[in-house]
Amino acid sequence: LMLRCLAPLYLLSTAADAYSLDAPRHFVAAVSARHARGTVASAAPAAAPPELASFRAWLSESGIASEAVEPAKLPGWGVCLVAGPDGVAQGDTLLSIPTALHLTPASVAAGPVGAAVARVVPSDDHSALLALGLLEQLSRGEANCSSWPYIELLPSGDEMVGMPLLWADEERAQLLSGSHLEGCVAQARQQLLEQWAAVEAVLPAHAEVFPRSVFNAAGYLWAHAVVLSRALPFGEELHLIPLLDLANHAAGSPHACSIGVSGEGGAVSEAWQVEGKEAAAVLTAGAAAAAGEQVFIDYGEAGWRSSWEMLYTYGFVPGSSVEEWIAAGGRPLFFDGVSPSDELLPQKRALLAALGASEGAADGQWLDLKPTADQCVAMAPLLRLANLSPGDASLEEGVRRLAEALAEWRADPTALWSALQRPVGAAVEAKVAEQVLSVCEEALAALPPADELAPRAKPDQGLPGDGTAEAERARCAARVMLGERSALEACVSVWEKVRAAAAA
């Protein structure tokens, strides 16, 4: 049972100006960086803040007595996870955090906050419940919150410099002009503030549960940013998991998150093994680490996450060079599918349904375009189907027969879809190329040119103004847009060649 070390992206446009959206500043502990590229060796610990000592004591009192890893504050990294004094060996169980210490949607829903908002917050909106749960813990204060040492370590809004969800509307619109991320974040903020307005309507009847010094629009956005960047899928829920959520990111990290049984060591492979027992989040070493060496996990970069999603979700763009930012780039695009006026629309919809596609698949396809050969043609099968007609004289003979069979409701879905994985005829390829190029060129035209973005993307050079939060946000935005340009330009290059070949 794997616990994926990544938080889901919520594509939740501009928040109402009436709200004050400065993030709360209740916390003093810094988590200044949560990313890396490759392997980073150990560093001499910085002076431990008192909050870190309290957190260690709380873990010990809660029965989390792992000597394999420990929280530490490293220069340039903030509070993170490092190997213990004896180091770790491959296969070691690094930590096991029982669910009793997790903040979970179910526990929030079962409490007074959950009961008060049950009419306006769906039980399956785990992010909203976790965000409200965080605010509830904060509102209790040190004297009445059993998990206060964990709450106290969470980053403030000012410390989450790279989280676009917390950027001011005007600054975000300027920095991300031309990027799809601008609309994505604006929509997210608007939806969260609309949800907050619904929550706020129930506050007067439960004043003792919702102190307004904590439960406000700014606090709700801050709490969602924490959940977005730190929560982990655990079974069927999202959980906030103390200690494990201190692990920073490194692409390709071998350390594995999974579900295990509290008090019984490592991970389990079958669901029945945790039935009737308390589950735990387990981190297992995939490689040895020396004492004091930072222990990373991969937030998803090595798999499918583009740089724009890393910034949206975690507040940073992986990499330290233009080449790396370009390689990590991606750009979501929508390609229209089968035309409503297509005489074969019913047959094409039925074919996609027979292949297991979702309802509405014939209408079009969202694709997170990346600068790779396979991704640049990933939209082609659907677009070829959209432009397929049995009367097209340029179709290859085998494809023409399949098109005729489709028109007569007797096509083999698998055979036809297999044929659409490659060029089927000059006329179809020309139409697909024009469509792809039109979508990509429109997106490219909205982005700043690369020679304007590259200087903005450079790391802090120690120049006046370089070390400010504003400069860091500008760097992050420029790196994302360099990646977007890279993906779009790669796709344009591929389909310009296709268009030229079709015209030859």
Side-chain angles (χ1 to χ4, degrees), residues 210-284:
F210 298 102
R212 297 308 300 269
S213 60
V214 173
F215 285 91
N216 50 55
Y220 196 56
L221 285 176
W222 166 82
H224 268 279
V226 171
V227 171
L228 186 61
S229 60
R230 303 176 80 92
L232 296 165
F234 190 89
E236 299 300 317
E237 289 189 326
L238 276 179
H239 287 195
L240 283 167
I241 306 173
L243 190 60
L244 177 56
D245 68 0
L246 294 181
N248 284 316
H249 164 76
S253 171
H255 307 309
C257 299
S258 58
I259 296 176
V261 175
S262 178
E264 295 186 12
V268 300
S269 58
E270 302 291 340
W272 62 264
Q273 292 176 278
V274 295
E275 290 181 1
K277 303 175 182 178
E278 184 179 17
V282 175
L283 181 63
T284 304

Side-chain angles (χ1 to χ4, degrees), residues 333-337 360-367 378-383 417:
L333 295 171
F334 184 77
F335 296 94
D336 288 327
D363 300 335
Q365 176 182 11
W366 275 104
L367 176 67
M379 74 297 288
L382 178 62
L383 303 192
W417 191 249

Side-chain angles (χ1 to χ4, degrees), residues 184-199:
C184 169
V185 178
Q187 183 184 1
R189 284 170 64 96
Q190 179 174 314
Q191 291 187 6
L192 289 175
L193 288 171
E194 288 173 355
Q195 186 178 56
W196 171 252
V199 171

Side-chain angles (χ1 to χ4, degrees), residues 320-342:
S320 57
S321 68
V322 171
E323 292 74 22
E324 289 178 317
W325 303 322
I326 285 175
R331 172 64 183 246
L333 295 171
F334 184 77
F335 296 94
D336 288 327
V338 184
S339 169
S341 62
D342 191 327

